[in-house]
Amino acid sequence: MTSVKEFRVDEPATADSLGRGRFVFTDAYSVFDWGQMPDAIPRKGASLCAMGAFNFELLEAEGLPTHYRGVADADTGETVALADATAPPTEMAIDLTQVPDLPYEGPEAGYDYDAFRAAGGGNYLVPLEVVFRNRVPIGSSLRRRADPADFGLDADPDIAADEWPDEPVDLPEPVVEFSTKYEEQDRYLSRAEADRIAGAADVDALESLALDVNRVVTERADAVGFAHEDGKIECLYADGELRVADVVGTFDENRFSYGGRGVSKEVVRQWYRANDPEWVEAVKEAKAAVAGREIDDWRELCERDPEPLPSAVVDAVSELYAAGTNAYTDREWFDVPDIEAALDAVDGL
């Protein structure tokens, strides 16, 4: 089980063939890489399942290969297209690939990607997250790792070459980055390092596929009044082909806004920064402290646990996920206020 969804295997993958399985979406959530938090957000699992399935079907319609096979109908349990689901689904049928162990060899040697690639052969989940960015919002990590001039933004006389403005900035072209997937702390990679880690999966092909996914999700977002700011994909490699894996284009994987207001998991992150800063700082310190140690799990060093969300926050975030899914898919899956009312409730917290 991951922090937010369970993983069921119906037919395991082998070195020669893909398997079959399902994601079961729960109402659990995770922020700051903590894993499962102490409470749950009702309707979140069904929201992400419906939105993810909707985007997978958009990708399939565009001819982009994925591991998606449909959703489980709530009444019959049969695998159906999203349009044929009789209620908000919580299970997604998928093709499975191999996910080898990634050994940690200590602070000097680091992670053994050679062993990962050897175990995966020609059928494995690429151990990278491929991140695409259309906008640089206030909370984006890109502001810490690059300057506006790196993207030609200083051509705008209102933007300095080395200082980000105190407002979101649209990028002239989408930017693609690569980060680790299975290390205890995600880290951004140079293109050369990403290519080495990817193994037989070509890094140029990963970038091209990510840009295609970004285009499809951005076009859909524009059509229904959202702005698509950034997101990521994960991919499997099998029989010489890349396929989009995991889940695509949800409020957990991607950052959207509606009328200039954020619609994503960032709402919860910001609540913790404002209301439980001691835990946020303890997480930061634990991540820093693990460097140079023989263990790689920073959580063992964290001196605090997160506080549960107040019920008013849980209710508001639940309605935001549900209303956002209704608006994005253009179907009333959930009996909740519209997206603008849901955003007003979050603003009032």
PDB file of all heavy atoms in Angstrom, residues 188-215:
ATOM      1  N   TYR A 188      16.092  16.447  -7.501  1.00  0.00           N
ATOM      2  CA  TYR A 188      16.105  16.739  -8.919  1.00  0.00           C
ATOM      3  C   TYR A 188      17.449  16.349  -9.512  1.00  0.00           C
ATOM      4  O   TYR A 188      18.490  16.407  -8.834  1.00  0.00           O
ATOM      5  CB  TYR A 188      15.807  18.218  -9.161  1.00  0.00           C
ATOM      6  CG  TYR A 188      14.336  18.518  -8.972  1.00  0.00           C
ATOM      7  CD1 TYR A 188      13.842  18.944  -7.747  1.00  0.00           C
ATOM      8  CD2 TYR A 188      13.445  18.332 -10.023  1.00  0.00           C
ATOM      9  CE1 TYR A 188      12.494  19.192  -7.568  1.00  0.00           C
ATOM     10  CE2 TYR A 188      12.094  18.565  -9.859  1.00  0.00           C
ATOM     11  CZ  TYR A 188      11.617  18.996  -8.639  1.00  0.00           C
ATOM     12  OH  TYR A 188      10.279  19.222  -8.466  1.00  0.00           O
ATOM     13  N   LEU A 189      17.406  15.940 -10.778  1.00  0.00           N
ATOM     14  CA  LEU A 189      18.552  15.329 -11.426  1.00  0.00           C
ATOM     15  C   LEU A 189      18.978  16.111 -12.657  1.00  0.00           C
ATOM     16  O   LEU A 189      18.150  16.740 -13.327  1.00  0.00           O
ATOM     17  CB  LEU A 189      18.204  13.902 -11.866  1.00  0.00           C
ATOM     18  CG  LEU A 189      17.679  12.955 -10.786  1.00  0.00           C
ATOM     19  CD1 LEU A 189      17.049  11.734 -11.435  1.00  0.00           C
ATOM     20  CD2 LEU A 189      18.802  12.549  -9.839  1.00  0.00           C
ATOM     21  N   SER A 190      20.256  16.042 -12.958  1.00  0.00           N
ATOM     22  CA  SER A 190      20.702  16.514 -14.265  1.00  0.00           C
ATOM     23  C   SER A 190      20.149  15.579 -15.334  1.00  0.00           C
ATOM     24  O   SER A 190      19.771  14.431 -15.049  1.00  0.00           O
ATOM     25  CB  SER A 190      22.232  16.533 -14.327  1.00  0.00           C
ATOM     26  OG  SER A 190      22.730  15.197 -14.326  1.00  0.00           O
ATOM     27  N   ARG A 191      20.129  16.051 -16.547  1.00  0.00           N
ATOM     28  CA  ARG A 191      19.617  15.204 -17.631  1.00  0.00           C
ATOM     29  C   ARG A 191      20.479  13.945 -17.790  1.00  0.00           C
ATOM     30  O   ARG A 191      19.950  12.861 -18.015  1.00  0.00           O
ATOM     31  CB  ARG A 191      19.576  16.003 -18.933  1.00  0.00           C
ATOM     32  CG  ARG A 191      18.759  15.343 -20.036  1.00  0.00           C
ATOM     33  CD  ARG A 191      18.728  16.214 -21.268  1.00  0.00           C
ATOM     34  NE  ARG A 191      17.812  15.676 -22.244  1.00  0.00           N
ATOM     35  CZ  ARG A 191      16.518  15.953 -22.300  1.00  0.00           C
ATOM     36  NH1 ARG A 191      15.979  16.762 -21.396  1.00  0.00           N
ATOM     37  NH2 ARG A 191      15.740  15.434 -23.233  1.00  0.00           N
ATOM     38  N   ALA A 192      21.782  14.106 -17.634  1.00  0.00           N
ATOM     39  CA  ALA A 192      22.679  12.953 -17.785  1.00  0.00           C
ATOM     40  C   ALA A 192      22.416  11.915 -16.703  1.00  0.00           C
ATOM     41  O   ALA A 192      22.389  10.707 -16.978  1.00  0.00           O
ATOM     42  CB  ALA A 192      24.128  13.418 -17.745  1.00  0.00           C
ATOM     43  N   GLU A 193      22.212  12.360 -15.462  1.00  0.00           N
ATOM     44  CA  GLU A 193      21.952  11.411 -14.389  1.00  0.00           C
ATOM     45  C   GLU A 193      20.599  10.745 -14.572  1.00  0.00           C
ATOM     46  O   GLU A 193      20.435   9.545 -14.322  1.00  0.00           O
ATOM     47  CB  GLU A 193      22.027  12.096 -13.031  1.00  0.00           C
ATOM     48  CG  GLU A 193      21.974  11.111 -11.874  1.00  0.00           C
ATOM     49  CD  GLU A 193      22.228  11.748 -10.531  1.00  0.00           C
ATOM     50  OE1 GLU A 193      22.265  12.996 -10.455  1.00  0.00           O
ATOM     51  OE2 GLU A 193      22.388  10.996  -9.544  1.00  0.00           O
ATOM     52  N   ALA A 194      19.601  11.522 -15.014  1.00  0.00           N
ATOM     53  CA  ALA A 194      18.281  10.938 -15.273  1.00  0.00           C
ATOM     54  C   ALA A 194      18.377   9.881 -16.361  1.00  0.00           C
ATOM     55  O   ALA A 194      17.740   8.816 -16.267  1.00  0.00           O
ATOM     56  CB  ALA A 194      17.299  12.033 -15.676  1.00  0.00           C
ATOM     57  N   ASP A 195      19.178  10.129 -17.384  1.00  0.00           N
ATOM     58  CA  ASP A 195      19.332   9.168 -18.470  1.00  0.00           C
ATOM     59  C   ASP A 195      19.977   7.877 -17.970  1.00  0.00           C
ATOM     60  O   ASP A 195      19.578   6.767 -18.351  1.00  0.00           O
ATOM     61  CB  ASP A 195      20.175   9.798 -19.573  1.00  0.00           C
ATOM     62  CG  ASP A 195      20.054   9.057 -20.900  1.00  0.00           C
ATOM     63  OD1 ASP A 195      19.005   8.422 -21.134  1.00  0.00           O
ATOM     64  OD2 ASP A 195      21.006   9.111 -21.693  1.00  0.00           O
ATOM     65  N   ARG A 196      20.951   8.005 -17.077  1.00  0.00           N
ATOM     66  CA  ARG A 196      21.604   6.820 -16.520  1.00  0.00           C
ATOM     67  C   ARG A 196      20.630   6.009 -15.673  1.00  0.00           C
ATOM     68  O   ARG A 196      20.550   4.782 -15.780  1.00  0.00           O
ATOM     69  CB  ARG A 196      22.807   7.236 -15.673  1.00  0.00           C
ATOM     70  CG  ARG A 196      23.527   6.060 -15.023  1.00  0.00           C
ATOM     71  CD  ARG A 196      24.672   6.530 -14.152  1.00  0.00           C
ATOM     72  NE  ARG A 196      24.223   7.296 -13.010  1.00  0.00           N
ATOM     73  CZ  ARG A 196      23.753   6.757 -11.881  1.00  0.00           C
ATOM     74  NH1 ARG A 196      23.662   5.431 -11.764  1.00  0.00           N
ATOM     75  NH2 ARG A 196      23.373   7.518 -10.882  1.00  0.00           N
ATOM     76  N   ILE A 197      19.855   6.686 -14.837  1.00  0.00           N
ATOM     77  CA  ILE A 197      18.907   6.010 -13.956  1.00  0.00           C
ATOM     78  C   ILE A 197      17.789   5.350 -14.751  1.00  0.00           C
ATOM     79  O   ILE A 197      17.307   4.272 -14.393  1.00  0.00           O
ATOM     80  CB  ILE A 197      18.338   7.010 -12.931  1.00  0.00           C
ATOM     81  CG1 ILE A 197      19.419   7.370 -11.900  1.00  0.00           C
ATOM     82  CG2 ILE A 197      17.099   6.467 -12.244  1.00  0.00           C
ATOM     83  CD1 ILE A 197      19.018   8.464 -10.939  1.00  0.00           C
ATOM     84  N   ALA A 198      17.375   5.961 -15.854  1.00  0.00           N
ATOM     85  CA  ALA A 198      16.254   5.445 -16.642  1.00  0.00           C
ATOM     86  C   ALA A 198      16.563   4.110 -17.299  1.00  0.00           C
ATOM     87  O   ALA A 198      15.645   3.356 -17.648  1.00  0.00           O
ATOM     88  CB  ALA A 198      15.838   6.462 -17.700  1.00  0.00           C
ATOM     89  N   GLY A 199      17.837   3.793 -17.481  1.00  0.00           N
ATOM     90  CA  GLY A 199      18.194   2.519 -18.106  1.00  0.00           C
ATOM     91  C   GLY A 199      17.847   2.495 -19.586  1.00  0.00           C
ATOM     92  O   GLY A 199      18.167   3.424 -20.330  1.00  0.00           O
ATOM     93  N   ALA A 200      17.137   1.451 -20.012  1.00  0.00           N
ATOM     94  CA  ALA A 200      16.795   1.313 -21.428  1.00  0.00           C
ATOM     95  C   ALA A 200      15.758   2.337 -21.869  1.00  0.00           C
ATOM     96  O   ALA A 200      15.592   2.587 -23.067  1.00  0.00           O
ATOM     97  CB  ALA A 200      16.278  -0.102 -21.699  1.00  0.00           C
ATOM     98  N   ALA A 201      15.047   2.927 -20.941  1.00  0.00           N
ATOM     99  CA  ALA A 201      14.045   3.943 -21.277  1.00  0.00           C
ATOM    100  C   ALA A 201      14.756   5.236 -21.650  1.00  0.00           C
ATOM    101  O   ALA A 201      15.491   5.808 -20.858  1.00  0.00           O
ATOM    102  CB  ALA A 201      13.107   4.164 -20.089  1.00  0.00           C
ATOM    103  N   ASP A 202      14.542   5.721 -22.850  1.00  0.00           N
ATOM    104  CA  ASP A 202      15.245   6.878 -23.379  1.00  0.00           C
ATOM    105  C   ASP A 202      14.722   8.161 -22.743  1.00  0.00           C
ATOM    106  O   ASP A 202      13.518   8.405 -22.709  1.00  0.00           O
ATOM    107  CB  ASP A 202      15.066   6.936 -24.898  1.00  0.00           C
ATOM    108  CG  ASP A 202      15.790   8.115 -25.500  1.00  0.00           C
ATOM    109  OD1 ASP A 202      17.031   8.091 -25.542  1.00  0.00           O
ATOM    110  OD2 ASP A 202      15.107   9.075 -25.901  1.00  0.00           O
ATOM    111  N   VAL A 203      15.641   8.998 -22.239  1.00  0.00           N
ATOM    112  CA  VAL A 203      15.221  10.206 -21.536  1.00  0.00           C
ATOM    113  C   VAL A 203      14.548  11.199 -22.485  1.00  0.00           C
ATOM    114  O   VAL A 203      13.637  11.942 -22.083  1.00  0.00           O
ATOM    115  CB  VAL A 203      16.422  10.843 -20.797  1.00  0.00           C
ATOM    116  CG1 VAL A 203      17.389  11.495 -21.767  1.00  0.00           C
ATOM    117  CG2 VAL A 203      15.962  11.830 -19.749  1.00  0.00           C
ATOM    118  N   ASP A 204      14.953  11.230 -23.753  1.00  0.00           N
ATOM    119  CA  ASP A 204      14.282  12.111 -24.712  1.00  0.00           C
ATOM    120  C   ASP A 204      12.837  11.676 -24.947  1.00  0.00           C
ATOM    121  O   ASP A 204      11.934  12.508 -25.080  1.00  0.00           O
ATOM    122  CB  ASP A 204      15.032  12.127 -26.048  1.00  0.00           C
ATOM    123  CG  ASP A 204      16.387  12.814 -25.950  1.00  0.00           C
ATOM    124  OD1 ASP A 204      16.562  13.672 -25.042  1.00  0.00           O
ATOM    125  OD2 ASP A 204      17.269  12.501 -26.766  1.00  0.00           O
ATOM    126  N   ALA A 205      12.633  10.361 -24.987  1.00  0.00           N
ATOM    127  CA  ALA A 205      11.272   9.847 -25.158  1.00  0.00           C
ATOM    128  C   ALA A 205      10.419  10.137 -23.929  1.00  0.00           C
ATOM    129  O   ALA A 205       9.223  10.436 -24.043  1.00  0.00           O
ATOM    130  CB  ALA A 205      11.306   8.351 -25.449  1.00  0.00           C
ATOM    131  N   LEU A 206      11.020  10.053 -22.737  1.00  0.00           N
ATOM    132  CA  LEU A 206      10.296  10.402 -21.517  1.00  0.00           C
ATOM    133  C   LEU A 206       9.865  11.862 -21.548  1.00  0.00           C
ATOM    134  O   LEU A 206       8.732  12.203 -21.195  1.00  0.00           O
ATOM    135  CB  LEU A 206      11.179  10.145 -20.292  1.00  0.00           C
ATOM    136  CG  LEU A 206      11.382   8.691 -19.883  1.00  0.00           C
ATOM    137  CD1 LEU A 206      12.532   8.579 -18.882  1.00  0.00           C
ATOM    138  CD2 LEU A 206      10.105   8.112 -19.280  1.00  0.00           C
ATOM    139  N   GLU A 207      10.772  12.729 -21.971  1.00  0.00           N
ATOM    140  CA  GLU A 207      10.434  14.149 -22.046  1.00  0.00           C
ATOM    141  C   GLU A 207       9.320  14.393 -23.061  1.00  0.00           C
ATOM    142  O   GLU A 207       8.369  15.145 -22.794  1.00  0.00           O
ATOM    143  CB  GLU A 207      11.666  14.960 -22.427  1.00  0.00           C
ATOM    144  CG  GLU A 207      11.379  16.455 -22.559  1.00  0.00           C
ATOM    145  CD  GLU A 207      12.613  17.235 -22.967  1.00  0.00           C
ATOM    146  OE1 GLU A 207      13.242  16.851 -23.984  1.00  0.00           O
ATOM    147  OE2 GLU A 207      12.937  18.218 -22.286  1.00  0.00           O
ATOM    148  N   SER A 208       9.418  13.760 -24.219  1.00  0.00           N
ATOM    149  CA  SER A 208       8.402  13.942 -25.251  1.00  0.00           C
ATOM    150  C   SER A 208       7.037  13.477 -24.777  1.00  0.00           C
ATOM    151  O   SER A 208       6.016  14.154 -25.002  1.00  0.00           O
ATOM    152  CB  SER A 208       8.815  13.180 -26.524  1.00  0.00           C
ATOM    153  OG  SER A 208       7.831  13.309 -27.524  1.00  0.00           O
ATOM    154  N   LEU A 209       6.993  12.326 -24.104  1.00  0.00           N
ATOM    155  CA  LEU A 209       5.726  11.813 -23.598  1.00  0.00           C
ATOM    156  C   LEU A 209       5.155  12.751 -22.535  1.00  0.00           C
ATOM    157  O   LEU A 209       3.948  13.022 -22.506  1.00  0.00           O
ATOM    158  CB  LEU A 209       5.928  10.410 -23.037  1.00  0.00           C
ATOM    159  CG  LEU A 209       4.675   9.663 -22.565  1.00  0.00           C
ATOM    160  CD1 LEU A 209       3.611   9.586 -23.659  1.00  0.00           C
ATOM    161  CD2 LEU A 209       5.049   8.254 -22.087  1.00  0.00           C
ATOM    162  N   ALA A 210       6.011  13.269 -21.655  1.00  0.00           N
ATOM    163  CA  ALA A 210       5.546  14.201 -20.627  1.00  0.00           C
ATOM    164  C   ALA A 210       4.958  15.458 -21.248  1.00  0.00           C
ATOM    165  O   ALA A 210       3.930  15.975 -20.781  1.00  0.00           O
ATOM    166  CB  ALA A 210       6.698  14.554 -19.692  1.00  0.00           C
ATOM    167  N   LEU A 211       5.579  15.963 -22.299  1.00  0.00           N
ATOM    168  CA  LEU A 211       5.064  17.169 -22.958  1.00  0.00           C
ATOM    169  C   LEU A 211       3.720  16.896 -23.622  1.00  0.00           C
ATOM    170  O   LEU A 211       2.825  17.757 -23.623  1.00  0.00           O
ATOM    171  CB  LEU A 211       6.077  17.684 -23.980  1.00  0.00           C
ATOM    172  CG  LEU A 211       7.329  18.319 -23.390  1.00  0.00           C
ATOM    173  CD1 LEU A 211       8.357  18.598 -24.481  1.00  0.00           C
ATOM    174  CD2 LEU A 211       6.988  19.606 -22.642  1.00  0.00           C
ATOM    175  N   ASP A 212       3.556  15.698 -24.177  1.00  0.00           N
ATOM    176  CA  ASP A 212       2.264  15.341 -24.764  1.00  0.00           C
ATOM    177  C   ASP A 212       1.176  15.260 -23.691  1.00  0.00           C
ATOM    178  O   ASP A 212       0.048  15.733 -23.887  1.00  0.00           O
ATOM    179  CB  ASP A 212       2.364  14.000 -25.496  1.00  0.00           C
ATOM    180  CG  ASP A 212       3.022  14.119 -26.862  1.00  0.00           C
ATOM    181  OD1 ASP A 212       3.015  15.230 -27.425  1.00  0.00           O
ATOM    182  OD2 ASP A 212       3.549  13.100 -27.353  1.00  0.00           O
ATOM    183  N   VAL A 213       1.501  14.643 -22.555  1.00  0.00           N
ATOM    184  CA  VAL A 213       0.535  14.561 -21.455  1.00  0.00           C
ATOM    185  C   VAL A 213       0.188  15.961 -20.965  1.00  0.00           C
ATOM    186  O   VAL A 213      -0.985  16.292 -20.750  1.00  0.00           O
ATOM    187  CB  VAL A 213       1.095  13.707 -20.304  1.00  0.00           C
ATOM    188  CG1 VAL A 213       0.187  13.791 -19.076  1.00  0.00           C
ATOM    189  CG2 VAL A 213       1.248  12.260 -20.745  1.00  0.00           C
ATOM    190  N   ASN A 214       1.195  16.791 -20.813  1.00  0.00           N
ATOM    191  CA  ASN A 214       0.962  18.161 -20.369  1.00  0.00           C
ATOM    192  C   ASN A 214       0.029  18.903 -21.322  1.00  0.00           C
ATOM    193  O   ASN A 214      -0.890  19.623 -20.890  1.00  0.00           O
ATOM    194  CB  ASN A 214       2.302  18.889 -20.262  1.00  0.00           C
ATOM    195  CG  ASN A 214       2.160  20.325 -19.824  1.00  0.00           C
ATOM    196  OD1 ASN A 214       1.427  20.636 -18.885  1.00  0.00           O
ATOM    197  ND2 ASN A 214       2.849  21.227 -20.505  1.00  0.00           N
ATOM    198  N   ARG A 215       0.245  18.710 -22.609  1.00  0.00           N
ATOM    199  CA  ARG A 215      -0.611  19.382 -23.602  1.00  0.00           C
ATOM    200  C   ARG A 215      -2.062  18.939 -23.460  1.00  0.00           C
ATOM    201  O   ARG A 215      -2.978  19.775 -23.452  1.00  0.00           O
ATOM    202  CB  ARG A 215      -0.099  19.073 -25.018  1.00  0.00           C
ATOM    203  CG  ARG A 215      -1.032  19.561 -26.131  1.00  0.00           C
ATOM    204  CD  ARG A 215      -0.495  19.166 -27.498  1.00  0.00           C
ATOM    205  NE  ARG A 215      -0.267  17.736 -27.631  1.00  0.00           N
ATOM    206  CZ  ARG A 215      -1.229  16.846 -27.870  1.00  0.00           C
ATOM    207  NH1 ARG A 215      -2.508  17.237 -27.989  1.00  0.00           N
ATOM    208  NH2 ARG A 215      -0.935  15.566 -28.006  1.00  0.00           N
TER     209      ARG A 215
END
